[in-house]
Amino acid sequence: ISNGNVSMFDGRTVRNGNLVIAEGNYRMQVKKEGAACLIIGDNAELVIDGVLQLAPNSFKSYDMIRVVGNHVKIRGKGNIIGDRHKHAGSEGEWGMGIRFDGASHATVSGLTIADCWGDCIYVGGGSRGVQISDCVLRGSRRQGISITKADGVTVSNCRIADISGTNPQYAIDIEPNRRCTVDNVLIDHVTVTGCEGGFRAALGKKTVGNARIGKVEISNCHVSAKSRHTIHLAGCEQAVVDDCTIEIRKGEKPILTRKVGQLLENNNKVIYKSK
């Protein structure tokens, strides 16, 4: 698709084929509460080289791009820009840039996702085999990436910055919903700057006893936090943190842990911030 100045995505579904969004500016619009601007089904490839800009809305929950299919590839050098700074409402925290909802063998790479009312990327719905690589995630209110119900999620070679506005405010938050499981998560070569919190893998107060976090591995990352924990692990069955550079404030623990079954820490470097 070209001539993007007059193009609009407001509920289109793509499956069994390719959609190429060429360089240019494109408008996305949410029609109703809980809707998605663009839905990606089975066996689809979406190439984004342009700028997808969300028109302001007042909804509590919506997705700019919702991935529901198997064998999906999203790639490009373009931008997905939310309506955080022009959002017409004041409630809710679930306006997502990309949501993986029950997707399988799905990838996203090369994109910049910014200024979302909720998360840059949300992985849930029992998604499996999701890979997020070479992306820049910045400026969203709630999270850079949330993982709530999934098995086999890899985040690699990404930069996450300036996540702040409404809790939890982490660069990456692994926090299963009630009766849900998150397992086999790898965070590798990810840089975090300017976010309120760094990485968290924790069972919430309402999910202790009925949710599960299996294995989480954090490797080769450079992570800091402004006001919350830099790395917080709670309730994981197995956690690995190795070859990371961890910037902390005076009096803070580099890795805060609670009720972690097996924890391996190896070759991590701790830097104490001057402020």
Side-chain angles (χ1 to χ4, degrees):
I1 292 177
S2 59
N3 194 21
N5 291 324
V6 296
S7 297
M8 180 180 290
F9 296 95
D10 56 4
R12 175 175 180 168
T13 298
V14 178
R15 62 171 62 90
N16 296 317
N18 300 340
L19 173 63
V20 179
I21 302 173
E23 292 184 7
N25 298 311
Y26 301 81
R27 182 178 174 90
M28 306 189 88
Q29 184 171 11
V30 180
K31 285 186 172 181
K32 62 182 180 180
E33 186 73 44
C37 303
L38 185 60
I39 301 171
I40 310 299
D42 291 346
N43 305 308
E45 181 174 12
L46 172 63
V47 180
I48 303 172
D49 287 334
V51 177
L52 297 177
Q53 175 74 61
L54 182 66
N57 69 77
S58 61
F59 301 125
K60 300 177 182 179
S61 176
Y62 56 86
D63 306 321
M64 294 180 68
I65 297 174
R66 182 179 298 163
V67 184
V68 299
N70 302 320
H71 304 290
V72 171
K73 181 182 291 185
I74 302 174
R75 62 179 178 86
K77 59 183 180 180
N79 295 262
I80 298 171
I81 309 298
D83 72 334
R84 171 183 180 156
H85 299 296
K86 296 183 178 180
H87 193 75
S90 59
E91 298 182 359
E93 56 190 47
W94 306 285
M96 310 305 184
I98 297 179
R99 178 193 292 265
F100 292 93
D101 189 5
S104 176
H105 301 97
T107 65
V108 56
S109 63
L111 300 176
T112 294
I113 306 172
D115 299 337
C116 298
W117 187 244
D119 306 347
C120 295
I121 298 177
Y122 182 99
V123 184
S127 295
R128 301 176 65 87
V130 172
Q131 298 183 28
I132 302 164
S133 62
D134 303 298
C135 290
V136 176
L137 312 176
R138 58 174 173 78
S140 292
R141 291 175 69 237
R142 197 180 79 139
Q143 318 270 40
I145 300 173
S146 290
I147 306 172
T148 62
K149 185 179 181 181
D151 188 1
V153 178
T154 299
V155 183
S156 61
N157 298 303
C158 291
R159 292 185 288 123
I160 308 177
D162 305 326
I163 304 300
S164 179
T166 189
N167 285 334
Q169 305 177 91
Y170 274 82
I172 300 178
D173 186 21
I174 301 163
E175 185 178 359
N177 294 325
R178 291 183 180 182
R179 296 179 293 278
C180 294
T181 292
V182 175
D183 201 358
N184 299 308
V185 176
L186 172 61
I187 303 169
D188 183 54
H189 284 94
V190 173
T191 300
V192 177
T193 58
C195 301
E196 298 300 327
F199 301 141
R200 181 172 76 161
L203 298 175
K205 293 180 180 180
K206 296 181 180 180
T207 61
V208 172
N210 60 32
R212 171 178 172 260
I213 301 175
K215 182 178 180 180
V216 176
E217 182 175 354
I218 302 169
S219 298
N220 305 296
C221 294
H222 190 135
V223 56
S224 63
K226 292 174 63 178
S227 64
R228 314 205 77 185
H229 301 298
T230 304
I231 298 179
H232 181 197
L233 306 172
C236 308
E237 293 177 0
Q238 184 178 359
V240 178
V241 182
D242 59 10
D243 296 304
C244 291
T245 299
I246 306 169
E247 296 187 34
I248 61 172
R249 303 175 300 275
K250 184 177 180 180
E252 181 188 9
K253 292 183 178 181
I255 305 172
L256 179 66
T257 62
R258 179 174 57 83
K259 296 183 178 179
V260 176
Q262 296 179 343
L263 175 63
L264 174 62
E265 301 177 46
N266 189 42
N267 294 328
N268 297 305
K269 178 182 178 181
V270 176
I271 299 175
Y272 290 91
K273 296 188 288 187
S274 59
K275 296 182 178 180

